[in-house]
Amino acid sequence: QSVLTQSPSASGTPGQRVTISCSGSSSNIGRNTVNWYQQVPGTAPKLLIYVDNQRPSGVPDRYSGSKSGTSGSLAISGLQSEDEADYYCAAWDHSLNAVVFGGGTKLTVL
Amino acid sequence: QVQLVESGGGLVKPGGSLRLSCAASGFTFSNYYMSWIRQAPGKGLESVSYISSNGRTIYDADSAKGRFTISRDNAKNSLYLQMNSLRAEDTAVYYCAINLRNNWSGGFDYWGQGTLVTVSS
């Protein structure tokens, strides 16, 4: 059971906008920033969003992040076939003194 | 460019020990916090352990407490994870990762390719 809660799956068609949500609590997202990762099976995770809404250099602006209260969201616009991957949220948890992750959302591009 | 290369994984019997290493290059290793994160086969990501740039501050996730020890050698640009009393549930790919903002926020900018640890009799 992951500390952060994500829907197990999401899907969309090419060109569509998809949103993936991450629900936490006052000990993690409620007081700390949210990060998002993309992982293609068999490869290491890639940082997509840090500090709620910042994109590392090289990450397309089709990816955007937001946070409200104890929840964070990742939006992907102009969906492309290469976006098909697993997506994880993460945040520091002050009660656990650890980075906690969501269980992951598998995105399928139909 | 930043490179993180893990090694030391393999097959070990329950109760056994392994020492993982992560060789860093392309950045000033001694300036940055480092972390170990693992992923069991077909499962999600799980924190293991974190260490500050000078090694004085360490956080261990529940999965690591009492059994795993994170350390670093800044002179060798290397991060280590000593794993003792291994259990079947420790079977996972172990990644080392760096946070360029040098905080405990969970934003890991670079990851190694991972090393597989299999605990089985």
Side-chain angles (χ1 to χ4, degrees):
Chain A
Q1 191 84 2
S2 301
V3 175
L4 304 181
T5 301
Q6 297 179 240
S7 296
S9 63
S11 62
T13 55
Q16 202 172 18
R17 175 184 165 96
V18 169
T19 300
I20 297 171
S21 297
C22 174
S23 176
S25 69
S26 58
S27 66
N28 42 65
I29 295 177
R31 60 188 297 182
N32 294 303
T33 59
V34 183
N35 310 277
W36 289 93
Y37 297 91
Q38 178 192 62
Q39 187 180 33
V40 175
T43 69
K46 172 188 174 183
L47 182 65
L48 283 181
I49 298 289
Y50 66 97
V51 190
D52 297 337
N53 55 20
Q54 302 299 301
R55 281 188 309 277
S57 173
V59 173
D61 59 6
R62 299 189 299 107
Y63 296 93
S64 61
S66 63
K67 186 178 91 169
S68 178
T70 59
S71 293
S73 293
L74 172 71
I76 309 172
S77 59
L79 200 62
Q80 300 177 4
S81 57
E82 57 258 41
D83 296 328
E84 193 161 283
D86 297 318
Y87 293 83
Y88 294 91
C89 58
W92 180 260
D93 189 296
H94 274 268
S95 297
L96 298 173
N97 273 341
V99 174
V100 291
F101 291 91
T105 297
K106 183 176 182 60
L107 176 62
T108 301
V109 181
L110 302 170
Chain B
Q1 72 281 21
V2 172
Q3 269 205 312
L4 300 170
V5 180
E6 301 94 337
S7 60
L11 176 63
V12 61
K13 289 181 167 53
S17 298
L18 272 181
R19 188 194 196 206
L20 305 184
S21 299
C22 171
S25 61
F27 64 102
T28 306
F29 180 75
S30 59
N31 286 353
Y32 292 97
Y33 294 9
M34 298 294 298
S35 302
W36 287 101
I37 299 146
R38 70 183 184 182
Q39 187 170 34
K43 302 294 185 184
L45 300 168
E46 182 186 22
S47 288
V48 177
S49 200
Y50 328 95
I51 187 167
S52 62
S53 52
N54 60 14
R56 291 178 187 160
T57 301
I58 287 172
Y59 289 109
D60 291 322
D62 287 345
S63 58
K65 284 175 183 167
R67 298 187 301 127
F68 296 177
T69 302
I70 189 172
S71 63
R72 64 192 296 160
D73 186 336
N74 286 343
K76 294 183 177 179
N77 291 340
S78 293
L79 176 73
Y80 305 102
L81 185 68
Q82 176 67 43
M83 303 188 296
N84 299 328
S85 303
L86 283 161
R87 307 164 180 161
E89 53 265 36
D90 295 318
T91 294
V93 174
Y94 285 72
Y95 296 101
C96 66
I98 176 177
N99 179 333
L100 294 180
R101 284 155 298 288
N102 251 2
N103 56 39
W104 309 112
S105 67
F108 301 111
D109 299 84
Y110 293 96
W111 300 58
Q113 85 288 351
T115 186
L116 176 63
V117 172
T118 304
V119 184
S120 175
S121 54

